[in-house]
Amino acid sequence: MNDRHPPVRAVYEDRVAVVTLASENPLNPLADDLVDALVAELRRIDADPAIRATVLTGSSKAFAAGADVKAMAPLDYAAAFRQDVIGRNWDAIRAHRKPLIAAVRGYALGGGCELAMLCDVVIAAEDARFGQPEVVLGIVPGAGGTQRLPRAVGKSLAMQMCLTGTSISAADALAAGLVSQVVPTDRLLAEATRLARSMAAHSLPVLLAIKEAVNRSFESSLSEGLLFERRQFHAGFALKDQKEGIAAFRERRDPAFADE
């Protein structure tokens, strides 16, 4: 890592962190130093009680245009397995507990698309493109492209993207359900930050519980998921913030949540 050019930059303000992937290469290849720095930053955010939501963004050219192919080239199976390539740090991103919004401009390809899908909400600039081009390199997606993408866009489009390596536009990604909104390129970060602040206005324990419950829906049956949700709902009655939220609603005022 070049200390004069850290691969990840972060700014904390108004209960929101804005984390920028900032490789010296504007395509933001997902080299180990960049992903390690991202994981370290997300862990700091999880540990900081003043931060309630995070925006993750990239350069004007790319959110991230894929894996570090140069670093992958010399690996054989034994080395990839021994080093737990992808697994050793990507699982930590999945474990991030607070709301995480991907603000995607330019290319989100391969690992970049998979990184966006690890986030809770994806907002795209009009110039964004999403794809899983690993097949062109003779490899299989390794960070969720064959698993999260079908859940987001359905089997047919996911198969098309993974088997051909072709990318889709921001408008197509919106129509398919991969992103929640498309905004003018020059408004991307402002809109993503605005959304993060709207989340950060709420109780942190409730934000964590909602994220956990929604993610559980992808890992369990409907009946198990509903039971988990109901227990989270019941647990909320132990929170001071729940009492404050109900009191504020009845008194027609804004709540003052204490994260308790």
Side-chain angles (χ1 to χ4, degrees), residues 141-237:
T146 67
Q147 302 301 306
R148 292 190 179 91
L149 190 60
R151 287 168 166 81
V153 306
K155 175 185 174 182
S156 182
L157 182 55
M159 282 287 195
Q160 176 178 311
M161 292 171 68
C162 289
L163 293 176
T164 67
T166 55
S167 62
I168 61 174
S169 68
D172 288 340
L174 178 63
L178 182 58
V179 307
S180 61
Q181 57 180 298
V182 176
V183 301
T185 300
D186 62 356
R187 292 289 303 159
L188 175 66
L189 193 55
E191 289 300 316
T193 303
R194 181 195 60 77
L195 180 61
R197 285 178 178 151
S198 73
M199 296 176 182
H202 304 301
S203 165
L204 181 56
V206 176
L207 292 173
L208 300 180
I210 290 172
K211 174 170 175 171
E212 188 176 31
V214 172
N215 283 334
R216 182 63 66 97
S217 72
F218 293 97
E219 307 290 342
S220 62
S221 67
L222 177 59
S223 59
E224 287 299 318
L226 287 170
L227 178 60
F228 183 84
E229 176 190 76
R230 194 167 302 122
R231 291 294 176 260
Q232 293 279 38
F233 172 73
H234 293 157
F237 283 81

Side-chain angles (χ1 to χ4, degrees), residues 1-258:
M1 183 189 308
N2 184 343
D3 291 336
R4 292 174 297 178
H5 192 103
V8 169
R9 298 194 304 266
V11 176
Y12 295 12
E13 186 177 357
D14 295 335
R15 296 180 290 193
V16 168
V18 177
V19 178
T20 303
L21 304 179
S23 170
E24 289 182 289
N25 182 339
L27 292 177
N28 281 326
L30 295 169
D32 282 346
D33 67 332
L34 186 150
V35 180
D36 288 346
L38 173 60
V39 167
E41 194 61 51
L42 291 178
R43 284 176 172 156
R44 279 191 285 272
I45 290 166
D46 258 343
D48 188 340
I51 300 300
R52 297 184 186 178
T54 299
V55 174
L56 178 62
T57 193
S59 73
S60 61
K61 240 181 208 186
F63 179 70
D68 185 352
V69 177
K70 287 183 180 178
M72 289 170 49
L75 296 176
D76 58 16
Y77 170 78
F81 185 67
R82 183 176 63 252
Q83 296 173 26
D84 193 17
V85 174
I86 293 179
R88 72 178 184 85
N89 44 25
W90 284 70
D91 288 345
I93 302 171
R94 179 188 179 196
H96 184 63
R97 299 183 68 202
K98 295 179 181 178
L100 184 59
I101 299 167
V104 178
R105 182 177 179 184
Y107 297 114
L109 304 178
C113 185
E114 291 165 321
L115 178 58
M117 290 190 291
L118 272 173
C119 298
D120 304 307
V121 177
V122 183
I123 297 178
E126 292 171 327
D127 68 350
R129 294 200 67 86
F130 299 84
Q132 299 292 158
E134 288 87 351
V135 68
V136 176
L137 300 176
I139 57 176
V140 176
T146 67
Q147 302 301 306
R148 292 190 179 91
L149 190 60
R151 287 168 166 81
V153 306
K155 175 185 174 182
S156 182
L157 182 55
M159 282 287 195
Q160 176 178 311
M161 292 171 68
C162 289
L163 293 176
T164 67
T166 55
S167 62
I168 61 174
S169 68
D172 288 340
L174 178 63
L178 182 58
V179 307
S180 61
Q181 57 180 298
V182 176
V183 301
T185 300
D186 62 356
R187 292 289 303 159
L188 175 66
L189 193 55
E191 289 300 316
T193 303
R194 181 195 60 77
L195 180 61
R197 285 178 178 151
S198 73
M199 296 176 182
H202 304 301
S203 165
L204 181 56
V206 176
L207 292 173
L208 300 180
I210 290 172
K211 174 170 175 171
E212 188 176 31
V214 172
N215 283 334
R216 182 63 66 97
S217 72
F218 293 97
E219 307 290 342
S220 62
S221 67
L222 177 59
S223 59
E224 287 299 318
L226 287 170
L227 178 60
F228 183 84
E229 176 190 76
R230 194 167 302 122
R231 291 294 176 260
Q232 293 279 38
F233 172 73
H234 293 157
F237 283 81
L239 290 173
K240 292 180 181 178
D241 283 346
Q242 189 252 27
K243 310 304 181 192
E244 166 61 14
I246 290 176
F249 177 81
R250 296 181 67 186
E251 296 164 13
R252 299 183 180 181
R253 60 174 174 82
D254 292 334
F257 293 125

